[in-house]
Amino acid sequence: MKVVLQTTWNTTAAWRAELLRQAPDLDVRIWPEIGDPAEIDVVLCWQPPPDLFTGMRNLRLIQVLGAGVDGLLRSHPQLPPVPVARLVDPVMSRRMAEYCLYATLRFHRQFDIYERQLAQARWERHQHADAGEIAVGVMGLGAIGSATVQLLRQLGYNVAAWARSPHPEAGVPVFVGEEGLPAFLARTRILICLLPLTAQTASILDRRLFEQLPHGSYLVNAARGEHLVVPHLLAALESGRLEGAMLDVFAHEPLPRSSPLWRHPKIFVTPHTAGITNPRTATGVIVEQLRRLERGEPLLHLVDPSRGY
């Protein structure tokens, strides 16, 4: 099987080495030195250039090297007529869930307040509620959202989720669709966004949404920067509607040094590090996908381009 590997990360050599270690029979070609494009069976890609698929008339699968496919769909609105799959690595899902757990603990145990006190050398203790009294709301119940819900449940948090469709297997209350959003927000103190980025979810974290949260709530965004309307976040923090925010993703990355998000005392910024794709753990998932393609078996984690995920 002839595979093209394309990524904007500096991990191309690691990906190739791991692919050949786990599947020595693969013919792995690094973009753009791919030889005859008509020979290519599979493309493994992340944020591909516009001409990546040119001449690949025998292509059988596009496998994205990340959990989100918005970058691919945005840059290639007319994809080749082949299956498209996103990457679901249980290790990466667990890492994302750990990030969301840390953010929840940070706000629940008021470590954000202690950080500000640290700068003032101020010794002052604050009472905090039990985990079961903290209402956490997770937006999105894909692999990462589900892993986050289960981890928070294990620590006793009062968790609910919001999703496009019912998820009876979730084990927590699930609010569904536009009609379920107001009730979901009204009961949520710590809001975690793990939604896919689509036309429907872009700019969803806006003034109208923040106004439906209880006064003094918190926001965690580990999905996509385009979900968040930054001026509306700053206004919500100014008014007290939001008491704090932890942000891992931004519409423009790296986040410009001039951004007010860096300097706001109630915003904690991390550099898109919540769940970095690891070639060592993700390659096994990809190799299984390639073997399924060879055997003619159903493929994993297929994307519906019309829905955006």
Side-chain angles (χ1 to χ4, degrees), residues 125-170:
R125 293 188 293 181
H126 305 276
Q127 293 291 334
H128 61 267
D130 292 333
E133 300 175 77
I134 304 296
V136 183
V138 177
M139 302 180 80
L141 268 179
I144 295 170
S146 297
T148 299
V149 163
Q150 295 311 315
L151 186 57
L152 291 170
R153 281 187 65 204
Q154 290 172 21
L155 283 144
Y157 286 102
N158 177 14
V159 186
W162 180 70
R164 185 175 184 270
S165 58
H167 288 258
E169 78 287 352

Side-chain angles (χ1 to χ4, degrees), residues 201-259:
T201 65
S203 299
I204 191 171
L205 302 174
D206 64 358
R207 179 183 295 107
R208 189 173 73 90
L209 181 142
F210 296 145
E211 288 175 350
Q212 297 178 74
L213 290 167
H215 194 83
S217 295
Y218 298 89
L219 172 68
V220 181
N221 187 16
R224 286 291 183 266
E226 291 88 344
H227 285 124
L228 176 63
V229 181
V230 171
H232 295 187
L233 168 65
L234 296 175
L237 289 167
E238 180 67 23
S239 71
R241 175 63 60 180
L242 290 180
E243 183 59 31
M246 186 162 167
L247 309 176
D248 187 56
V249 289
F250 308 91
H252 301 285
E253 296 182 356
L255 182 65
R257 292 173 64 90
S258 59
S259 171

